[in-house]
Amino acid sequence: MDVSHLLDDLNKPQREAVSAATTPTLVLAGAGSGKTRVLVHRIAWLIQVEQFSPFSILAVTFTNKAAAEMRARIEQLLGTPMGGMWVGTFHSLSHRLLRRHWQEAGLPQLFQIIDSDDQLRLVKRVSRNLGLEEANWPARQSQWFINARKDNGERPEHIEDKGDPQTSQLRAIYEAYEAACKQAGVVDFAELLLRSLELLRDNPELLAQYRQRFRHLLVDEFQDTNTLQYGWLRLIAGDTTPPFAVGDDDQSIYGWRGAKIENIQNFSKDFHSTNIIRLEQNYRSSGNILEAANALIDNNQGRLGKNLWTDSGQGELIHLYAAHDENDEARYVTSRIRQWVEQGNNHQECAILYRSNAQSRVFESQLIEAGIPYRVYGGQRFFERAEIKDALAYLRLSANRHDDPSFDRVINQPPRGIGDKTVSVIRDHARDSGTSLWQAATALLEMNHFTARASNAITGFTQLIADISIDISGLPLEEQVDKTIRASQLKQHYLHKEKGDKGEARVENLNELVSAAQGFIYKPEDEHANMDFLSAFLSHASLEAGDSQTKAGNDCAQLMTLHSAKGLEFPLVFLVGLEEGLFPSQQSSEELNRMEEERRLCYVGITRAEKQLVISYAEQRRLYGTTHYGVPSRFIHEIPDRLVEPVRPKPSRPSWSASGYNTPTTSHIKQDTGGLSIGQSVSHKKFGNGIITDTEGSGSHARVQVNFEDAGSKWLVLTYANLSPL
């Protein structure tokens, strides 16, 4: 049989993977190594060469888009429709199983699937039925708890509270939620996978039937599987269906949402006689970029091991820009994008990658000022984010009580017991009397129109706005913003409402709004003439939010988080904000596993670049409302000097250990440090003993960085530090 069309366009390891024997196989597919091509050709090989029926193949992907693309490419390669083959996501395949076997699964025949919003509403209802206040038991937190437990394969009866009243109450909510779903005949997304696993596990004859049918099990992005997904795969595979898994342990970056890197690391232990094939030839990036990525990721422990390479040449060196501050960083990136376009390239070939969404604000401002079209990929622009709109609404209402949109937005945000019915009464009265919502609310209060509970809630709200207005009067702009955010309790609200990273990201954005206020420049000669500072800032925010970003598909620069960038590629990539405490994040420095995931995230960022990679950090950064003196990220120090071309001279490179700086091998005295030297042991009254690792500044601004044994690395101003040499 002529199989040239299946193998000729592949390199040697790809051909090995496509034509592998039917034993457990793990394909370690490095970034840009053609993993999708291997999966498609493997399925085509099984059908055309090994003569397996499409009905005997089960292929699992992580997105519907990837599943559709895989099916289309297989059909194109074989020239025939593949209608009988099961290709889909974990959820879509589980749904297919449950529709076929609804009775065995204990579901009504016409069960419905509820999305995240519908699930949240149902959680709110069962919480109210249990007599729980939203303020004390936020529905989103309960929703997160339920989904996390399901993803771990746990029903309420499997959860041990160990005497913890919070866990006990959340378990009760989970139990009531399950009963409500059963009564309504609905399932959520997490339930699809858990219920289908239970269906097969608890029906041995049915499981045997599917094991007999599916002789080949192929899995994409295997490093992203969670506990439940891996259990589902192992159950179907059994001892009869050897899995063919494609993944990359170096690109496992979703631990925060349940992905277990241990699944791919333990694959060869769980499936004996595993054939491991490494795809290391990269078809995306230049040699220098790949060498940098290899050197960086080599610092992680427990890797399965591979080394990316290319035959396309070394390409340009990596540019490293040491910015004075975040504005200087954004200006430099903007100038490089303009230069790129002037050379005949497109805006859409440029991507700015950052660790936190809050970092986008400064870049957005500079791009708008420069007239460069851009798009925030997979997210909203800074001033369009819900938490920012909430904070600005409080500020606007404190400045102008008759601002009806702002009143409408925050009268019950955060929730304060003012229901929709009460708000409707206020709206109706405002319409009928021709007054503002504020005037209508105060008039109805004077008329004793509301119940005692509603009256107290509305009075509390109006008093809050009045207090904010008085408290912030005459303060610097950033203090006005900061005090308003604190008084509104928006941070606490979002931390309770959206558990985990989402809530923390919203708090980071609120803190960044304080930074935006501090960096706001008031120009009386422009459109802000005759305005006070706060009004000018609010107008500025409205204009930036109203100047909508470029639509998808148009030629525009791309802004995105590193997590959003996975799977994408760009000729020119800016990897920004590489400072200790920002990237890697401060939280990750306390735990090896989290630090290694941060390093994998940096690896993903580096390998998005095709031709040019620019890395930047700021010596001083105003972020989340606080000024930080930047220490270059350890990830910069892990890239060999020979691969880097500094745009501005970078500081000397200290060596790193898993916990931070090691003592430098050389010690020298710097000026204006009171006789203290790098490498010297010192003591501080609050932080204890530590070692000086760096110094900067002079005179009264001289600072030292000390790596304390207990408190970690800190920058201290020498004038106030009172360090004692040991």
Side-chain angles (χ1 to χ4, degrees), residues 397-412:
L397 198 56
S398 70
N400 174 19
R401 303 292 194 279
H402 306 306
D403 186 331
D404 282 354
S406 295
F407 181 97
D408 216 9
R409 184 177 186 91
V410 298
I411 185 173
N412 201 41

Side-chain angles (χ1 to χ4, degrees), residues 239-291:
D239 297 324
T240 58
T241 306
F244 184 94
V246 180
D248 183 2
D249 56 321
D250 291 334
Q251 294 190 78
S252 179
I253 60 173
Y254 297 117
W256 51 275
R257 70 182 189 194
K260 300 289 186 183
I261 191 174
E262 296 85 358
N263 293 345
I264 190 169
Q265 291 174 336
N266 295 332
F267 185 89
S268 58
K269 297 177 185 176
D270 296 332
F271 296 97
H272 300 298
S273 303
T274 293
N275 178 23
I276 298 180
I277 301 170
R278 290 171 171 81
L279 305 184
E280 298 174 303
Q281 184 174 359
N282 177 282
Y283 294 93
R284 174 190 300 157
S285 306
S286 65
N288 286 328
I289 291 171
L290 295 180
E291 283 192 45

Side-chain angles (χ1 to χ4, degrees), residues 699-702 716-722:
S700 61
H701 298 289
L716 303 173
V717 178
L718 267 179
T719 305
Y720 309 106
N722 294 322

Side-chain angles (χ1 to χ4, degrees), residues 371-439:
I372 293 177
Y374 74 91
R375 180 170 182 78
V376 179
Y377 182 92
Q380 294 174 305
R381 294 177 48 165
F382 182 79
F383 286 107
E384 293 173 345
R385 293 165 189 164
E387 62 276 16
I388 300 302
K389 287 185 173 182
D390 290 343
L392 292 174
Y394 273 102
L395 285 163
R396 289 191 175 99
L397 198 56
S398 70
N400 174 19
R401 303 292 194 279
H402 306 306
D403 186 331
D404 282 354
S406 295
F407 181 97
D408 216 9
R409 184 177 186 91
V410 298
I411 185 173
N412 201 41
Q413 176 72 349
R416 48 178 58 88
I418 303 175
D420 291 341
K421 188 174 180 180
T422 300
V423 176
S424 293
V425 170
I426 296 173
R427 291 191 188 117
D428 291 343
H429 188 80
R431 183 194 63 225
D432 295 341
S433 60
T435 60
S436 68
L437 292 174
W438 180 277
Q439 291 170 317

Side-chain angles (χ1 to χ4, degrees), residues 537-553:
F537 176 69
L538 293 172
S539 295
H540 162 75
S542 296
L543 290 170
E544 289 219 353
D547 186 8
S548 60
Q549 62 180 323
T550 308
K551 293 181 180 180

Side-chain angles (χ1 to χ4, degrees), residues 452-471:
R453 182 177 179 181
S455 179
N456 288 336
I458 296 170
T459 300
F461 171 65
T462 56
Q463 188 60 52
L464 171 65
I465 300 301
D467 289 344
I468 289 174
S469 183
I470 294 170
D471 290 345

